[in-house]
Amino acid sequence: MIGPPPPGAPEIAEGVLFSEEAIQERVAELGRRITRDYAGRDLVLVTVLRGGVFFLADLCRHIDLPLRVDFMAISSYTHEAHTGSVRITKDLDEDIEGASVLVVEDIIDTGLTLNYLLGVLKSRGPESIEVAALLDRDVRRIVDLPIAYRGFTMPDRFVIGYGLDLRGRYRNLRYVATLPDEVMGE
Ligand code: IMP
Ligand code: MG
């Protein structure tokens, strides 16, 4: 299932889990479904900086609706006592009361962070709130989250590319690549 890295791939990449073509095809299909499902509604796509930006940018251009996009930032990927609570360092600029919110995520792993953010957003009175995730690493899930729009379910491997980083780098790869397990131990 994991293919060889394409020419020019960083040396660190072990193999390609999802190719550029596979991602683009899937993103277009999700965009068509979202277009149908949200026709006539006040759609706001919300993503968490920085990983989700890449998926959001491609996805929104396959949605033929007058949507809005907005961004949040959170402090770090450390889960205080496994509540997933995080510090919001950049809040939304848009008012989402009465809007149909679609939270766009690069990857859902334990689900703790997203679960916490969904709680925060729900308290602002949106008409609806759903999740679109490019990658679902479901074997590591701690809190159950309904994912309305899923790109791919993936195995328990650390990946880079298409928004996902290793210490801030490799987000700009057009595909999703696996790393050898040793790299993570460094
Ligand atoms: P969780 O679902 O609360 O555990 O957090 C998911 C977040 O962890 C994602 O938004 C990513 O920023 C980060 N993350 C999880 N798995 C990976 C990976 O394989 N590569 C890069 N970042 C990851
Ligand atoms: Mg992230």
Side-chain angles (χ1 to χ4, degrees):
M1 187 176 131
I2 299 176
E11 257 171 43
I12 192 174
E14 175 197 61
V16 172
L17 190 56
F18 302 111
S19 67
E20 177 180 4
E21 294 73 24
I23 292 170
Q24 290 304 327
E25 196 180 305
R26 191 76 183 121
V27 170
E29 158 159 19
L30 293 177
R32 286 192 293 272
R33 275 181 48 205
I34 293 166
T35 302
R36 285 199 298 273
D37 295 350
Y38 285 88
R41 293 162 68 185
D42 177 19
L43 177 60
V44 184
L45 302 182
V46 169
T47 197
V48 182
L49 298 171
R50 289 165 270 179
V53 168
F54 302 77
F55 177 36
L56 177 137
D58 283 345
L59 181 65
C60 72
R61 285 175 289 176
H62 289 285
I63 304 174
D64 295 321
L65 296 172
L67 55 81
R68 293 179 281 164
V69 299
D70 205 353
F71 304 91
M72 292 179 89
I74 56 179
S75 57
S76 75
Y77 180 48
T78 47
H79 301 313
E80 280 183 26
H82 286 272
T83 61
S85 78
V86 289
R87 197 161 57 88
I88 294 173
T89 56
K90 186 222 168 290
D91 207 334
L92 297 180
D93 292 312
E94 299 287 325
D95 181 4
I96 59 167
E97 192 178 342
S100 300
V101 175
L102 185 58
V103 178
V104 178
E105 269 281 20
D106 47 3
I107 187 167
I108 305 181
D109 192 50
T110 64
L112 287 165
T113 314
L114 183 56
N115 189 54
Y116 174 81
L117 285 176
L118 289 175
V120 170
L121 297 176
K122 272 178 196 157
S123 72
R124 300 179 185 176
E127 181 260 326
S128 66
I129 183 157
E130 299 287 354
V131 174
L134 181 74
L135 302 178
D136 180 7
R137 195 193 278 117
D138 57 349
V139 293
R140 284 173 47 90
R141 192 74 82 259
I142 293 174
V143 285
D144 192 34
L145 290 172
I147 304 175
Y149 305 94
R150 176 187 289 100
F152 306 95
T153 302
M154 63 171 282
D156 193 8
R157 297 293 309 272
F158 192 86
V159 289
I160 52 171
Y162 203 75
L164 292 149
D165 70 300
L166 175 68
R167 296 179 210 105
R169 300 191 197 278
Y170 309 116
R171 295 188 197 274
N172 56 319
L173 299 178
R174 291 190 294 268
Y175 46 87
V176 170
T178 56
L179 298 188
D181 287 336
E182 310 86 79
V183 176
M184 296 315 303
E186 279 170 17

